[in-house]
Amino acid sequence: MNYAIIGFGTVGQALARAFARQNIEVAVASRRPPEALAPQAKAIGPTVVPTTLQEAIQADIIFLAVPFEQHREVARSLANWQGKTIVDAMNGFGVSSAVVAKAFPGARLVKGFNHLAARTLATDPRVQGGRRVVFLSSDDEGAAAPVAALAEQLGFAPVHLGKFEEGGALVQARADKSWGPLIFQDLFKQEA
């Protein structure tokens, strides 16, 4: 299994730190060339590999950490996303991840890692005798399982909220410019 993060702003870099902490290789790409990302990637760790967008979209699991209005531009990079799992880590006001899923034909889409502020997401998820929770939702039951397994590997405690319009609505920005009740909640799961 290989991984990529598309978007290397604060959220993309926070996700990269999670991979680096566990020595898991992850490709990072943005609209900037790989050499422009190299200094930040190197500062995070040797497993963070700057690459082109075309190389990054070859990964099995791809974190989408771009500003919401740029997701369609990324989606046009590939005609068919069959076999890819996209993790929607964006926050678009009033738009369900079901809309994002339509932009990536053939992909399995999971909403996740979006409810934590980037500075919190960047820190070690093992705190206070437990692990920081990340919420996941998907209309594809099987898509959430490998993302949950990866979240565990990264040190997080995944909590599956169900489908986008059900539990997923708890962690999305709403049309009235307000947030779902679980967004920005920094919750922990105690170790047994």
Side-chain angles (χ1 to χ4, degrees):
M1 188 79 56
N2 52 19
Y3 311 103
I5 301 166
I6 298 176
F8 204 51
T10 56
V11 172
Q13 289 180 43
L15 289 165
R17 289 182 195 292
F19 280 87
R21 271 192 303 276
Q22 300 302 322
N23 292 314
I24 300 171
E25 187 171 300
V26 64
V28 294
S30 76
R31 293 196 285 185
R32 297 180 295 156
E35 52 274 9
L37 308 180
Q40 294 150 314
K42 185 178 180 184
I44 294 170
T47 61
V48 179
V49 181
T51 189
T52 65
L53 178 61
Q54 286 304 314
E55 291 169 327
I57 62 175
Q58 301 308 312
D60 300 309
I61 296 180
I62 301 165
F63 285 79
L64 196 56
V66 298
F68 179 79
E69 56 278 356
Q70 292 177 15
H71 80 276
R72 285 186 180 88
E73 181 182 331
V74 173
R76 286 190 290 270
S77 300
L78 203 56
N80 186 331
W81 290 82
Q82 193 71 38
K84 307 288 180 195
T85 299
I86 306 287
V87 180
D88 175 5
M90 304 178 299
N91 283 315
F93 277 105
V95 182
S96 164
S97 287
V99 172
V100 177
K102 289 178 185 173
F104 292 87
R108 303 172 81 185
L109 196 106
V110 177
K111 181 72 168 177
F113 293 84
N114 69 300
H115 79 284
L116 294 170
R119 69 181 173 279
T120 303
L121 185 60
T123 62
D124 190 337
R126 296 181 191 280
V127 290
Q128 301 174 7
R131 294 178 295 140
R132 184 167 277 120
V133 168
V134 290
F135 296 112
L136 306 175
S137 63
S138 182
D139 286 348
D140 181 334
E141 290 279 326
V147 176
L150 176 59
E152 289 268 357
Q153 198 176 355
L154 295 174
F156 293 94
V159 174
H160 193 268
L161 298 175
K163 296 184 179 287
F164 296 138
E165 296 301 326
E166 298 163 353
L170 299 172
V171 290
Q172 72 186 37
R174 299 186 176 171
D176 63 0
K177 302 272 188 204
S178 68
W179 298 98
L182 293 179
I183 205 144
F184 304 128
Q185 298 297 313
D186 190 9
L187 304 174
F188 303 92
K189 181 177 179 185
Q190 290 300 114
E191 297 295 324

